[in-house]
Amino acid sequence: MELPFAESYKIKTVEPIFRSTRKQREKWIEAAHYNLFNLRSEQVFIDLLTDSGTGAMSDNQWAAIMKGDESYAGSSSYYNLKKVIQTLFGFNYFLPTHQGRAAENVLFSTLIKEGDVVPGNSHFDTTKGHIEFRKAKAVDCTIDKAFDTESDYPFKGNVDLNKLEDVLKSGVNVPVIIMTLTCNTSGGQPVSMGNLKQVKELAEKYKTYVIFDSARFAENAWFIKKREKGYSKKAIKEIVREMYSYADGMTMSSKKDGIVNIGGFMAMSNKDWFEKATTFNIMFEGFVTYGGMAGRDMNALAVGLNEVTDKDYLESRISQVEYLGNKLIEYGIPIQKPIGGHAIFVDAKKFLPNVPKEEYIAQTLAIILYLEAGVRGVEVGTLLADRDPETHDNRYPKLEFLRLAIPRRTYTNNHMDVVAAGLKNVYEMRDEIRTGLKIHKEAPIMRHFTVELYKA
Ligand code: F0G
């Protein structure tokens, strides 16, 4: 008999979680104004809000924490991390930051100015926020297939090269193209090596640069290994190195594929960018050799980057996401296919066809799932898409998703069973769900974090 698959680690420390009642949850969610970000973590049984900073560190990472060097300048932790980044990505220059959006802030301060256009595959919300904050424009050039949740296309994170070339030749100033690996917004969908290579070729043709938003770079490499011809025998680290040969720089949220609780960085091959970014980093983040991170956290990140590019780790990780996704498919629940790297994206428009788009379909589904099972997911839909900066109208995205993001090495498949059963129960009552939510109060930018809603 073939031996079944099992995780490539065992558990040393556990943290209790509380299973609440529906009555309690009804009270809590009303007080939270139907915004899951306003809940206290104790009010959540299984927390799939995000895979960001929520992973479990290994014993080796905790050991590295103890050996962290907290010197203000020139700490050994900084040099440990620099060496890992150089080896893994091939970039000679790097600056640490307190998290991913801080790296975006610093690097974009040096590269992007008012009136610029920044194309890419669906930019993440903080990335888009930092582009629009500078009065520049983010243009989504993702392939159309990414918006068809039923299509099994293996690389739904790819950009459409024609759409990209149209932007490049339109006469606007494009300081940089940003490729997000994996593409979070389209469902944790990977970008193929072929696409990365072609994007770089186009960038060279039009004399511009390419940056990878690298939050889930290792998961992207795993999909290249599994799905792209010619890569099945290559080591993950080898694949990563080739991916980054098609980039001029990177921003990183270490809270995802760094498997640490906080941290970020940017890295680049261009000395001029590095020198300019250094000035901003010192202003916004901290001195060159710590930039917003404690020495111990840089040390843990150096270990995490090596662990996340281990084939056995990635197999455990992606298998768990697939386990949940396959259960949902078995129950007939509409999700983005193929199953992505860090999360299951439930197609809320198909799930709740009777809720009008003006009443925030995916947010409605997220709230009902929380009430049913104490599971916290997150809306990736109209609330997140925000308003058009010029017209101030709601931007209704093509897809309304409920994202169930799975923290790394944190939950077991029993937890995944609870999530699947909770969602199945909601699916069985979908016909009766006809109304959603309305906005009571919202912020001018990044409204989803603080928005207050009421039942329509
Ligand atoms: N880029 C991507 C693709 C991301 O998913 C995130 C964060 C960031 C950049 C920003 O990094 O949080 O460290 O400042 N995504 C989290 C999420 C918040 O839940 O998907 P950060």
Side-chain angles (χ1 to χ4, degrees):
M1 173 177 185
E2 198 186 333
L3 295 179
F5 168 80
E7 286 75 11
S8 59
Y9 47 84
K10 58 182 177 175
I11 296 165
K12 194 177 319 227
T13 306
V14 296
E15 177 185 345
I17 49 177
F18 174 62
R19 197 195 300 256
S20 53
T21 64
R22 176 182 274 269
K23 233 186 159 81
Q24 286 174 313
R25 294 194 287 272
E26 279 169 359
K27 201 174 81 202
W28 293 333
I29 199 67
E30 194 187 344
H33 301 285
Y34 299 92
N35 181 344
L36 293 155
F37 285 100
N38 287 337
L39 290 175
R40 299 171 71 119
S41 62
E42 307 93 283
Q43 297 168 337
V44 176
F45 180 44
I46 300 170
D47 204 349
L48 307 188
L49 181 75
T50 180
D51 62 322
S52 182
T54 50
M57 290 208 293
S58 68
D59 52 355
N60 277 322
Q61 285 180 290
W62 283 109
I65 289 256
M66 285 307 296
K67 297 191 82 171
D69 174 359
E70 305 304 339
S71 305
Y72 190 97
S75 76
S76 61
S77 305
Y78 166 82
Y79 286 105
N80 287 341
L81 181 54
K82 185 176 162 75
K83 195 165 156 213
V84 171
I85 290 171
Q86 254 168 346
T87 311
L88 208 48
F89 303 105
F91 293 131
N92 285 331
Y93 302 103
F94 114 92
L95 287 166
T97 59
H98 77 275
Q99 60 183 86
R101 67 199 70 183
E104 290 166 356
N105 183 29
V106 169
L107 195 57
F108 296 179
S109 292
T110 68
L111 298 180
I112 300 173
K113 56 179 196 324
E114 186 170 343
D116 285 350
V117 172
V118 182
N121 56 344
S122 310
H123 308 72
F124 183 65
D125 58 335
T126 59
T127 319
K128 193 153 133 212
H130 275 294
I131 294 168
E132 291 177 350
F133 184 70
R134 290 172 171 78
K135 300 197 164 51
K137 199 170 159 207
V139 179
D140 184 358
C141 299
T142 311
I143 51 167
D144 291 335
K145 283 194 197 87
F147 304 101
D148 170 8
T149 55
E150 282 303 314
S151 155
D152 258 324
Y153 189 70
F155 291 103
K156 281 181 165 176
N158 282 1
V159 297
D160 180 325
L161 297 162
N162 293 322
K163 287 189 200 171
L164 178 61
E165 187 154 16
D166 284 347
V167 176
L168 292 169
K169 67 181 181 203
S170 68
V172 294
N173 188 47
V174 177
V176 69
I177 300 164
I178 297 178
M179 295 297 290
T180 305
L181 316 175
T182 57
C183 188
N184 188 0
T185 316
S186 70
Q189 297 292 321
V191 183
S192 71
M193 192 73 90
N195 198 247
L196 292 176
K197 186 163 184 245
Q198 285 168 311
V199 168
K200 181 66 179 150
E201 282 164 8
L202 270 183
E204 277 169 3
K205 181 172 164 195
Y206 289 92
K207 301 199 167 25
T208 185
Y209 301 98
V210 182
I211 286 180
F212 291 171
D213 174 348
S214 309
R216 301 176 182 86
F217 74 96
E219 291 168 6
N220 199 96
W222 171 262
F223 287 119
I224 288 175
K225 183 177 171 74
K226 288 284 146 181
R227 297 181 185 169
E228 196 160 349
K229 210 167 152 251
Y231 290 92
S232 66
K233 294 211 166 58
K234 293 208 168 156
I236 295 292
K237 288 184 171 64
E238 209 180 332
I239 295 172
V240 169
R241 194 62 191 251
E242 185 184 337
M243 283 159 59
Y244 282 83
S245 71
Y246 307 125
D248 300 284
M250 67 187 287
T251 54
M252 175 71 183
S253 169
S254 309
K255 303 170 73 173
K256 286 87 168 172
D257 272 352
I259 331 187
V260 291
N261 304 116
I262 192 76
F265 64 86
M266 75 209 83
M268 64 282 276
S269 46
N270 185 320
K271 192 173 176 202
D272 182 47
W273 285 7
F274 173 72
E275 284 173 355
K276 288 189 179 127
T278 297
T279 309
F280 287 108
N281 217 52
I282 293 172
M283 261 163 52
F284 297 140
E285 293 292 302
F287 180 66
V288 184
T289 63
Y290 74 86
M293 288 186 78
R296 54 179 171 267
D297 288 338
M298 288 191 282
N299 245 13
L301 173 57
V303 176
L305 288 171
N306 269 323
E307 289 179 354
V308 83
T309 44
D310 174 75
K311 167 174 95 26
D312 291 342
Y313 157 76
L314 279 169
E315 186 167 18
S316 308
R317 162 71 175 158
I318 304 292
S319 300
Q320 186 170 50
V321 180
E322 278 174 353
Y323 178 83
L324 175 61
N326 285 331
K327 282 236 139 156
L328 298 181
I329 292 171
E330 190 188 307
Y331 298 154
I333 294 170
I335 63 169
Q336 171 73 300
K337 288 181 203 144
I339 296 164
H342 68 295
I344 298 302
F345 285 64
V346 180
D347 186 335
K349 274 195 206 168
K350 284 196 185 137
F351 194 115
L352 293 180
N354 301 327
V355 176
K357 72 174 191 308
E358 293 77 14
E359 294 181 8
Y360 308 102
I361 308 168
Q363 179 70 7
T364 302
L365 181 56
I367 299 295
I368 298 173
L369 176 63
Y370 170 70
L371 289 172
E372 175 64 26
V375 172
R376 171 159 70 171
V378 75
E379 190 251 26
V380 179
T382 308
L383 284 178
L384 184 73
D386 225 318
R387 292 182 187 273
D388 185 287
E390 278 150 31
T391 66
H392 297 287
D393 290 332
N394 263 334
R395 286 190 280 214
Y396 292 104
K398 289 190 192 117
L399 294 170
E400 285 264 352
F401 283 127
L402 162 62
R403 186 185 76 169
L404 303 168
I406 303 177
R408 293 167 182 76
R409 306 189 288 213
T410 302
Y411 291 111
T412 68
N413 284 1
N414 288 335
H415 295 111
M416 298 304 117
D417 287 344
V418 172
V419 176
L423 210 51
K424 181 170 185 279
N425 292 347
V426 179
Y427 196 54
E428 280 164 7
M429 55 190 187
R430 67 190 181 280
D431 290 343
E432 291 118 70
I433 305 168
R434 301 186 165 270
T435 53
L437 300 157
K438 291 203 163 144
I439 291 184
H440 164 60
K441 205 170 137 197
E442 67 181 279
I445 193 166
M446 305 243 160
R447 63 176 177 179
H448 57 289
F449 290 121
T450 53
V451 67
E452 294 185 3
L453 299 143
Y454 61 95
K455 280 198 211 165

